[in-house]
Amino acid sequence: MKKTKYIFFTGGVVSSLGKGIACASLGVLLKSRGYRVTILKLDPYINVDPGTMSPYQHGEVYVTDDGSETDLDLGHYERFINENMASFNNATSGQVYYDVIQKERRGDYLGATVQVIPHITDAINEKIESAGKKTDADIVIVEIGGTVGDIESQPFLEAIRQFRLNNKPEDTLVIHLTLVPYVAGANELKTKPTQHSVMRLREIGLQPDMLLCRTDRLLDESVKKKIGLFCNVSPKAVIDALDVKTIYEVPIKYAEEGFDVHVLQKLKLPKGRLQFDSWKRKVNRYLKVKHEVTIAICGKYVALHDAYKSITEAFIHAGMENDVRVNLQWINSETIKPRNVQEQLSKVSGVLIPGGFGERGIEGKLNAVRYAREKKIPFFGICLGLQCAAIEFTRNVLKKENANSTEFDAHTKYPVIDLMETQKTIRDLGGTMRLGSYPCKLKPDTKAHEAYQTDQIDERHRHRYEVNNAFRRDFEENGLIISGLLPDNSLVEMLELRDHPWFVGCQFHPELKSRMAKAHPLFREFVAAALRYNKQS
Ligand code: GLN
């Protein structure tokens, strides 16, 4: 039987060092050397999943095919390693405690006192092993959220200590991601924060095997030697993680540093042959592109781009396939009024309205839709964006005044967007939307069909409300085409304007399926339309 190997990634010094991207980058390199790789994110917070958390707190909620609401790092994993993630790729403290408490209530512990050690730590280790088994992975990369020293992450780190004890030394690896800051006054790179953070790790019985050091300049040999000496690792195991222009350069830099080869040596695995040229070519070409195009994103959380992480990345992939740099202009939809919409949107070549919840900023979004529809600017509406397109069309083309979604106006005379029957009796908030992958059949001779080049697709959803079927006929008769439907025809999945260069809305979230290896067809075509608009205007 094959022995699965485990790589644990911990973080130190400060948060936001890009642990998710580090895991995803190592993941894609190991996959490119022929290994089956999966990645598991362990989040120390108590929420059972991030589905109920505000985007301000936690950024985007990333939805997988199986309908789990997960951490946004899973998006990076999918985009880099080009594998579908599932519920077992993300676990939170809340989830672990929830499982353990349910077992305790059932009496499964047979009268034992239920404790953090061993019950919680055992439950954590079961999650780690199960991620490997379910995917038949050769290598499981485990990212521990948070920073060493946080009270919340302690059970995870303790679980890893036990995990290592129960496995052979060459079957597990701990990689610690730290920051080596440059202090201008001293003209020196400072290693002390790294020393301290490794000290915290060793206090709880975890000796890192490798250190990945985020830095804005290369670490010279003397710095690596010093870090190695104080942190008890070989200087060769101290790897630079230099700042780069795009996150897609990270694996290229790692490969140049020999990071992946070093990891495989430590795991006593053959290094295989790295097949990574097409990735490198794509990135290098993208770094040299000359054309630019600007797209407005009119949303509610624009101050916090992490809330739209997958959209930002999908535009990079789409830019790569169109040989153009896509500049995103973030516009707070609350500020878009009829009197300033022209000023706000006259310089952009495309308008995107992303998903969202709640009434705030809706009228501004409708102003943006109207402007894009009337001025024939390429428009892309995602989820709430599609719903806004339907509301705007009903109000201004079908002339049904104050048409709305019942999410924003429960008593509107024209409920063009309404709650699905199945949602009406649900009280809980967590995990209760229409979530995950559903099929959608595409109408021939539409922009949707042209983009996908196929009759049926599968896309991921996260919403409660739907286009009200009572309006479908009016839409079609007046030029708003229903280009995508659930195969049994019961739900509208895509809408598009007939007499417009590119005006497409989808009830699902295409951004979640855009990959570095292949841009999402709708983003690719939206950017292409924006480029055409840009050239002609
Ligand atoms: N608020 C809308 C709904 O629940 C749209 C959701 C979204 O954009 N993800 O249907």
Side-chain angles (χ1 to χ4, degrees):
M1 214 181 80
K2 95 167 153 198
K3 181 77 194 96
T4 305
K5 309 267 180 172
Y6 297 85
I7 303 174
F8 298 101
F9 259 85
T10 57
V13 184
V14 290
S15 59
S16 306
L17 288 179
K19 221 183 312 139
I21 289 161
C23 291
S25 299
L26 179 60
V28 68
L29 290 176
L30 296 175
K31 185 178 172 186
S32 306
R33 287 188 180 274
Y35 291 98
R36 257 188 100 81
V37 178
T38 195
I39 313 183
L40 164 65
K41 172 84 189 271
L42 295 175
D43 276 310
Y45 51 74
I46 306 293
N47 303 58
V48 172
D49 63 44
T52 54
M53 282 159 100
S54 155
Y56 288 115
Q57 295 260 328
H58 200 257
E60 169 184 271
V61 175
Y62 188 78
V63 179
T64 50
D65 272 348
D66 67 359
S68 313
E69 298 176 279
T70 70
D71 186 76
L72 59 74
D73 276 321
L74 272 78
H76 290 308
Y77 307 162
E78 282 204 2
R79 289 186 284 271
F80 277 66
I81 69 171
N82 198 17
E83 299 280 349
N84 286 334
M85 297 289 123
S87 64
F88 52 78
N89 290 96
N90 192 194
T92 69
S93 291
Q95 224 173 74
V96 172
Y97 275 86
Y98 192 72
D99 292 353
V100 169
I101 289 169
Q102 279 185 327
K103 266 176 127 176
E104 184 271 335
R105 294 287 80 186
R106 283 200 304 266
D108 292 3
Y109 293 110
L110 306 175
T113 309
V114 180
Q115 293 176 300
V116 174
I117 306 174
H119 302 98
I120 295 293
T121 46
D122 280 353
I124 293 170
N125 284 336
E126 276 162 29
K127 294 232 180 250
I128 294 172
E129 280 181 345
S130 119
K133 284 200 189 105
K134 289 205 166 114
T135 51
D136 192 28
D138 303 311
I139 301 172
V140 180
I141 298 177
V142 184
E143 174 185 356
I144 321 293
T147 311
V148 170
D150 298 347
I151 290 178
E152 285 91 346
S153 17
Q154 292 234 352
F156 289 117
L157 299 174
E158 168 58 20
I160 296 168
R161 187 191 65 77
Q162 295 172 23
F163 196 96
R164 300 199 86 183
L165 197 65
N166 297 330
N167 281 280
K168 287 207 202 104
E170 67 270 25
D171 290 342
T172 71
L173 201 64
V174 171
I175 301 176
H176 190 57
L177 179 66
T178 84
L179 176 72
V180 180
Y182 172 75
V183 174
N187 186 24
E188 236 177 24
L189 281 163
K190 290 296 184 188
T191 64
K192 193 73 84 191
T194 298
Q195 295 176 35
H196 279 278
S197 125
V198 171
M199 224 185 279
R200 293 302 295 265
L201 209 53
R202 292 170 70 194
E203 265 168 24
I204 42 182
L206 277 182
Q207 167 64 52
D209 299 285
M210 296 179 78
L211 297 172
L212 193 55
C213 302
R214 279 298 298 273
T215 157
D216 68 354
R217 61 206 68 208
L218 280 177
L219 308 179
D220 62 35
E221 277 317 303
S222 67
V223 176
K224 286 192 176 181
K225 250 194 191 147
K226 188 167 169 190
I227 294 177
L229 180 66
F230 280 96
C231 300
N232 198 31
V233 297
S234 135
K236 272 207 229 89
V238 179
I239 309 283
D240 304 278
L242 267 185
D243 295 347
V244 282
K245 285 203 194 71
T246 143
I247 54 172
Y248 300 103
E249 261 184 285
V250 173
I252 300 177
K253 294 280 173 223
Y254 283 179
E256 282 168 15
E257 280 272 310
F259 181 30
D260 50 337
V261 174
H262 202 99
V263 163
L264 290 169
Q265 271 167 3
K266 291 243 176 211
L267 294 173
K268 298 216 166 93
L269 288 172
K271 70 176 186 175
R273 194 165 68 84
L274 182 65
Q275 285 177 301
F276 201 53
D277 287 349
S278 65
W279 180 297
K280 265 203 222 159
R281 267 199 304 275
K282 225 170 175 177
V283 172
N284 288 334
R285 194 179 161 117
Y286 180 66
L287 290 173
K288 287 186 211 117
V289 293
K290 292 198 181 60
H291 298 293
E292 292 185 29
V293 73
T294 302
I295 284 175
I297 300 195
C298 309
K300 188 159 77 168
Y301 308 107
V302 288
L304 199 100
H305 301 177
D306 264 6
Y308 305 113
K309 193 81 209 154
S310 294
I311 290 184
T312 317
E313 298 307 319
F315 274 120
I316 295 177
H317 309 152
M320 284 177 172
E321 291 188 17
N322 279 289
D323 270 327
V324 66
R325 186 176 323 285
V326 181
N327 299 322
L328 299 179
Q329 187 175 324
W330 301 89
I331 304 180
N332 177 356
S333 52
E334 282 176 281
T335 67
I336 310 175
K337 311 278 179 211
R339 65 181 145 74
N340 66 16
V341 61
Q342 164 141 23
E343 187 192 327
Q344 300 230 44
L345 297 180
S346 63
K347 291 197 186 65
V348 305
S349 303
V351 175
L352 180 136
I353 306 218
F357 295 84
E359 199 189 351
R360 193 156 53 82
I362 290 295
E363 292 302 319
K365 289 180 185 161
L366 297 177
N367 293 330
V369 178
R370 182 175 195 165
Y371 187 81
R373 179 175 58 77
E374 291 179 348
K375 301 285 177 201
K376 301 214 184 303
I377 304 172
F379 171 86
F380 192 12
I382 295 179
C383 204
L384 179 64
L386 166 137
Q387 299 178 357
C388 286
I391 299 169
E392 193 278 328
F393 190 84
T394 312
R395 284 190 191 177
N396 301 322
V397 179
L398 303 182
K399 303 285 181 215
K400 297 200 189 312
E401 214 178 310
N402 295 328
N404 216 331
S405 162
T406 50
E407 182 180 3
F408 317 127
D409 178 0
H411 307 293
T412 172
K413 194 167 161 204
Y414 303 110
V416 60
I417 305 295
D418 199 5
L419 212 51
M420 289 182 276
E421 280 306 316
T422 48
Q423 292 287 345
K424 286 187 180 161
T425 49
I426 297 175
R427 291 272 171 276
D428 277 4
L429 279 185
T432 57
M433 285 184 264
R434 182 174 183 236
L435 285 166
S437 185
Y438 286 91
C440 164
K441 76 172 179 205
L442 301 175
K443 190 170 182 163
D445 301 320
T446 56
K447 303 263 177 359
H449 196 279
E450 199 180 299
Y452 285 100
Q453 297 280 316
T454 178
D455 298 333
Q456 190 162 318
I457 54 168
D458 294 286
E459 290 282 3
R460 298 180 191 169
H461 297 66
R462 182 172 188 254
H463 62 118
R464 293 199 167 81
Y465 293 81
E466 292 284 350
V467 170
N468 183 339
N469 286 330
F471 288 77
R472 269 160 66 171
R473 201 146 141 213
D474 256 4
F475 282 174
E476 294 248 51
E477 282 174 0
N478 290 280
L480 186 60
I481 307 300
I482 292 159
S483 47
L485 279 169
L486 195 68
D488 70 0
N489 291 339
S490 62
L491 297 175
V492 171
E493 294 283 4
M494 296 190 74
L495 288 174
E496 60 186 69
L497 275 182
R498 191 176 46 215
D499 302 316
H500 191 289
W502 210 89
F503 186 108
V504 175
C506 51
Q507 190 54 75
F508 47 79
H509 288 271
E511 71 277 20
L512 302 175
K513 287 180 75 168
S514 186
R515 304 260 166 104
M516 172 64 182
K518 190 175 184 302
H520 191 283
L522 292 176
F523 277 87
R524 188 193 64 225
E525 290 310 302
F526 176 48
V527 169
L531 258 175
R532 287 195 296 273
Y533 179 87
N534 183 266
K535 279 182 191 143
Q536 111 211 343
S537 61

